[in-house]
Amino acid sequence: EDKVVQSPLSLVVHEGDTVTLNCSYEVTNFRSLLWYKQEKKAPTFLFMLTSSGIEKKSGRLSSILDKKELFSILNITATQTGDSAVYLCAVQEGNKLVFGAGTILRVKS
Amino acid sequence: DADVTQTPRNRITKTGKRIMLECSQTKGHDRMYWYRQDPGLGLRLIYYSFDVKDINKGEISDGYSVSRQAQAKFSLSLESAIPNQTALYFCATREASTDTQYFGPGTRLTVL
């Protein structure tokens, strides 16, 4: 059975801290790995990763994929209260997107 | 205007009632999806469609049906709602050339 596991399930940090969110996967027909941020309702797209070792960056957020070890990390540097959200990892397996349960991040001021 | 819209945004209904959730998109994408989200379980795929003649079951299709009325419209029906269908429901779209899905604002459904 396809599986996407995120860790930690939740964490609380202070503004300015750096956080690393983890996503490991086991799927039979991997195409890509995607990260989404979900604040109040709809998930919004952050990154799509298809190749190992190539870092994607957007401002204070960055992500990298390791297809040999079957995991990805999402880094957020200099966290702000606006980064508080659920971060979802999803793997495109064939025609379907398989989601992890998410990591709840709370950034305290 | 939002690219992916869902109606209604909130709905409370009773066990046994038939419910339809609607999704419309202006992105011109062929592929559309319905998910449900429950606390601690992430998003799970209910149905997906690659065009108006192509409907596919997802991970948890039992108790649900869908209709793809046009490229831009994809509806989800609960024929006889039950309490464990209480959840947040999302519609999403994707163009064929990329894996990125774009989500609607969600419908919060409560079945009493």
Side-chain angles (χ1 to χ4, degrees), chain A residues 42-86:
Chain A
T44 54
F45 172 74
L46 293 175
F47 297 111
M48 184 174 74
L49 303 154
T50 56
S51 301
S52 279
I54 299 175
E55 186 182 52
K56 293 274 183 100
K57 288 198 72 166
S58 177
R60 296 176 293 102
L61 278 67
S62 64
S63 184
I64 198 161
L65 173 67
D66 186 327
K67 290 169 72 173
K68 182 179 177 185
E69 299 297 329
L70 307 183
F71 78 91
S72 174
I73 59 173
L74 175 68
N75 280 319
I76 308 175
T77 59
T79 52
Q80 302 171 358
T81 54
D83 295 326
S84 296
V86 177

Side-chain angles (χ1 to χ4, degrees), chain B residues 16-82:
Chain B
K17 295 291 188 182
R18 185 178 188 274
I19 296 296
M20 179 181 285
L21 309 183
E22 300 189 359
C23 176
S24 294
Q25 52 117 346
T26 58
K27 299 184 79 68
H29 294 166
D30 288 328
R31 301 176 182 217
M32 298 186 74
Y33 302 79
W34 276 105
Y35 295 89
R36 66 176 278 175
Q37 187 175 33
D38 300 275
L41 293 179
L43 278 77
R44 292 182 292 164
L45 182 62
I46 306 172
Y47 271 95
Y48 61 104
S49 167
F50 286 175
D51 65 39
V52 293
K53 297 179 182 178
D54 180 79
I55 302 290
N56 303 279
K57 291 183 177 181
E59 180 186 351
I60 52 164
S61 59
D62 287 348
Y64 301 94
S65 62
V66 291
S67 172
R68 185 82 184 265
Q69 301 95 323
Q71 187 206 38
K73 294 184 182 295
F74 192 34
S75 300
L76 176 72
S77 293
L78 287 67
E79 298 300 326
S80 179
I82 56 177

